[in-house]
Structures are given as structure tokens and as C-alpha cells.
Amino acid sequence: MAEYLASIFGTEKDKVNCSFYFKIGACRHGDRCSRLIPLFIFFSPQTILIQNIYRNPQNSAQTSADGLRCAVSDVEMQEHYDEFFEEVFTEMEEKYGEVEEMNVCDNLGDHLVGNVYVKFRREEDAEKAVIDLNNRWFNGQPIHAELSPVTDFREACCRQYEMGECTRGGFCNFMHLKPISRELRRELYGRRRKKHRSRSRSRERRSRSRDRGRGGGGGGGGGGGGGRERDRRRSRDRERSGRF
């Protein structure tokens, strides 16, 4: 019996836990869901969810005085999205750890709109990111981040949307993942490969240096505290006024 329950845990056959939450990391019923939303007791996820942080300018385009909607071109929208994606991706890698995958939802339903999913290589980086992000702001709004069970985005995304055939539009309950430009993908992931090679060489140099300098003197350190405090203040001001 225990083996059977373990085999159906988080699947559609599981009548206790919310299978939809396991699949896409969000449930359209929210707190009203009749099934349990799991606590992360049995596993430690690599993925975090940053809720409702991306705002598609085409969805929030203003209406002019004569009642006409101010259109945003596809080129402008892609530039806006690439800029957003690069900023968030870079911030995650520089502050918390290596990112394996990052995806942004272009859905309109409340439980998915503007959601950003970041899958880190290490579980401890995901935990660190959630703790820190919940004390930060983005675009003048407080950030709401949580650990997410999503690891396979192929299962979470809408296949019909990928083929241009989704009849539910933005209110589909599966992820409509917004793609970045090819140029940005090459830049972000190419940069990461270069960083890996650089880190490897740096580790080798440090190792050789330690071997040569064992028994050598220690250096002094104090100072710098005031500078660090100023940097923290500037960072908080930046977050509250706009971007990260």
C-alpha cells in the first residue's frame, strides 16, 4: 500500500495532494483548492517561483483620450521582454548561484500572470534566493518568492500554445512560456560557459598559490565596513525606486 501511495504521489490519481500544483507550481483555486498544497518536507526543490513580476506592455497598454488603444509593436515588446529577462537572469546568477533554466509565463490567469520560474543548479542556492528575495523590491513592488516543485517545464507548458493552436488563449491553465530572442539566449548561456572555464582556471591558480605559499604570513584586513553599508543602502534605494 505504501509503495502504491508513493507511486501516485503528486499525479492525477492522487486524491489528496493537488496534482496541478506539482505540475505547474500554481493552482487556479488557490487557498480554496480541495486538495492539499504540499509543504516541502520530503524534498528540497531547485526551482523558485517569483510571483507576478513580469508585466507585458501589450496587456497593460493604455487607452488614449479618443478611446483608441495605444498599441505596442512586436519589436518594442520583444526588446522590453529581453531587457527584463536579462536583468532578472543576471541578478539571480550574480547574487545567488548558477541558473540552469529560467522561464516566464505570458498567461493572463491570476495564478500564472507574470510568474517567473528560476531553476538553480543547487538546492541551497534556491533556498537562499527565496529568503533574500522576500525582503526585496522590484519596479516599486515587494517581491513574493517561494520554492516550487516544478523541475520539468516540458510537462508544465501548454503543447497547443507551442504549436500556435491553444484555444484557451491567455487564460489557459498550463504555462504559456514566453521565448527570449536567439541573440540574448546565446549571450546569457555563452557567458555562463565562459564563466565556468574562467572559474576552473581560477581554482587551479588558487590551488597552486596555496601550495607555494603554505606557511606564509597573513594579511591584514579590517576596513571596508562603511563601503559595504553604503552599497547596501544604494541597493535598497534602487529596488524601491524601480529595477533590482
Side-chain angles (χ1 to χ4, degrees), residues 54-115:
Y54 173 66
R55 297 185 181 178
N56 187 328
Q58 287 186 329
N59 297 337
S60 56
Q62 296 179 349
T63 303
S64 63
D66 55 5
L68 297 175
R69 201 167 168 78
C70 301
V72 179
S73 71
D74 290 342
V75 172
E76 289 173 324
M77 187 192 72
Q78 190 64 51
E79 288 175 352
H80 174 273
Y81 177 60
D82 281 357
E83 181 183 329
F84 165 85
F85 193 100
E86 182 177 12
E87 179 176 10
V88 176
F89 187 98
T90 303
E91 184 76 5
M92 296 301 106
E93 285 225 312
E94 288 182 352
K95 272 207 163 35
Y96 307 119
E98 185 178 344
V99 173
E100 276 193 1
E101 187 175 357
M102 178 171 138
N103 289 292
V104 179
C105 289
D106 203 23
N107 303 64
L108 295 174
D110 289 343
H111 62 302
L112 286 175
V113 61
N115 283 358

Side-chain angles (χ1 to χ4, degrees), residues 1-15:
M1 184 64 174
E3 288 183 10
Y4 172 72
L5 291 176
S7 70
I8 66 169
F9 182 72
T11 68
E12 292 177 6
K13 293 180 180 180
D14 188 343
K15 301 302 181 186

Side-chain angles (χ1 to χ4, degrees), residues 10 25 34 119 154 203 211 240:
S34 61
K119 182 180 178 184
R154 291 169 300 180
R203 278 197 295 268
D211 290 342
R240 290 179 182 274

